[in-house]
Amino acid sequence: MSNGRSRWRHEVFRRHVAQAKRIFYFNIMLQKEEIYINKKEYAKSVIKYIDKI
C-alpha cells in the first residue's frame, strides 16, 4: 500500500518537473524570439535613419 502511494507521488513529481522544464525552455525561446525581432526593428530604424541622411 505505502509502496504504491510513493510510486504515484514520484510519478506526479516527475510530470510536474517535466512541465516546469517545458515552461522554462518555452520562456527562453520567447526571449530569444523577442531579441531577434528587436534586432530586426533596430536594423529597420537604422536603415530609415541612413536614408534620411
Side-chain angles (χ1 to χ4, degrees), residues 6 14 18 51:
S6 66
R14 239 182 46 207
D51 283 346

Side-chain angles (χ1 to χ4, degrees), residues 8-53:
W8 176 79
R9 195 175 286 160
H10 179 72
E11 185 60 36
V12 168
F13 179 72
R14 239 182 46 207
R15 222 173 289 156
H16 186 72
V17 168
Q19 195 173 356
K21 279 184 185 172
R22 213 173 295 139
I23 291 169
F24 180 69
Y25 285 122
F26 185 66
N27 282 341
I28 288 177
M29 280 170 53
L30 276 181
Q31 284 176 349
K32 283 185 177 174
E33 196 67 31
E34 279 181 16
I35 290 169
Y36 178 68
I37 289 169
N38 286 341
K39 279 185 180 171
K40 278 174 77 177
E41 290 300 315
Y42 177 71
K44 280 182 195 169
S45 61
V46 167
I47 290 169
K48 280 182 190 169
Y49 180 71
I50 290 171
D51 283 346
K52 284 178 184 171
I53 296 173

